[in-house]
Amino acid sequence: MPIKHLRIDNRLIHGQVTTNWVSSVGATQILVVNDQVANDPIQKKLLPAAARGVKTSVLSIQDAVSYMQHPDHAREQVLVVAKFPTDALALLQQGVQPEQVNVGNQAPIPGTNYKMLTKSIAVTPEDAQVYRQIAELGFHLTAQMLPSDAKTDFLALLEKKGL
């Protein structure tokens, strides 16, 4: 299955931002991946509605991996939205091979020791370790809120902030 884009975004689907990415990468479907969200019936109903008509599935990590490996889905062009960097790492460790890995939006989580890398990306030291593990798997991470924004090297941002 061609995974066009893996986006790490703890806001998951937020209207025009998501539809811009769908258009930009030519995706025909969105997979929202996070175990807790997949077990929340309210979010499972609301997220597809927020995707503005784009086919959307809300799946656990394991269900997403199984879905993407199934031959019936081989022709689908997918935008995967992982809620947290740990979700993205789990997908990548299980063989998901996106064309791009983008950190788009990571709002600060109250009570955590975070630093703002950009106006829309908060990172804790633990998150920084996970992002480095993703890079060690051979993936280049970029920071980019919208497709029209310039791509920024994500690891360079971590270094700049001392993470």
Side-chain angles (χ1 to χ4, degrees):
M1 165 180 286
I3 309 302
K4 301 300 283 184
H5 193 86
L6 171 59
R7 181 172 170 82
I8 303 167
D9 188 333
N10 66 3
R11 289 187 59 205
L12 299 174
I13 294 177
H14 40 110
Q16 195 62 39
V17 171
T18 304
T19 56
N20 283 344
W21 278 107
V22 166
S23 295
S24 174
V25 301
T28 57
Q29 179 175 1
I30 301 170
L31 294 182
V32 175
V33 181
N34 175 268
D35 290 345
Q36 289 178 325
V37 173
N39 287 314
D40 182 333
I42 294 171
Q43 289 194 66
K44 284 184 85 162
K45 283 190 176 207
L46 292 176
L47 289 170
R52 300 181 180 187
V54 178
K55 181 181 175 185
T56 301
S57 299
V58 181
L59 302 171
S60 68
I61 293 166
Q62 194 54 54
D63 286 346
V65 170
S66 296
Y67 182 93
M68 289 183 265
Q69 292 175 344
H70 196 281
D72 288 351
H73 306 289
R75 295 193 190 285
E76 295 175 5
Q77 301 290 316
V78 179
L79 166 66
V80 177
V81 181
K83 185 169 185 173
F84 297 117
T86 51
D87 299 328
L89 178 61
L91 291 170
L92 298 170
Q93 287 175 327
Q94 293 187 58
V96 173
Q97 295 287 316
E99 293 176 14
Q100 305 175 57
V101 179
N102 169 255
V103 183
N105 186 24
Q106 287 292 286
I109 297 173
T112 61
N113 179 24
Y114 65 87
K115 289 186 181 181
M116 295 303 296
L117 265 61
T118 69
K119 66 181 181 177
S120 64
I121 300 172
V123 177
T124 66
E126 296 80 15
D127 293 336
Q129 290 177 349
V130 174
Y131 289 122
R132 284 193 170 77
Q133 286 179 285
I134 290 170
E136 288 170 6
L137 291 174
F139 295 96
H140 176 74
L141 289 98
T142 60
Q144 188 179 16
M145 176 60 97
L146 295 168
S148 57
D149 295 339
K151 290 182 183 179
T152 304
D153 182 284
F154 191 77
L155 292 182
L157 288 174
L158 289 177
E159 292 296 323
K160 185 176 178 181
K161 293 291 184 170
L163 291 167

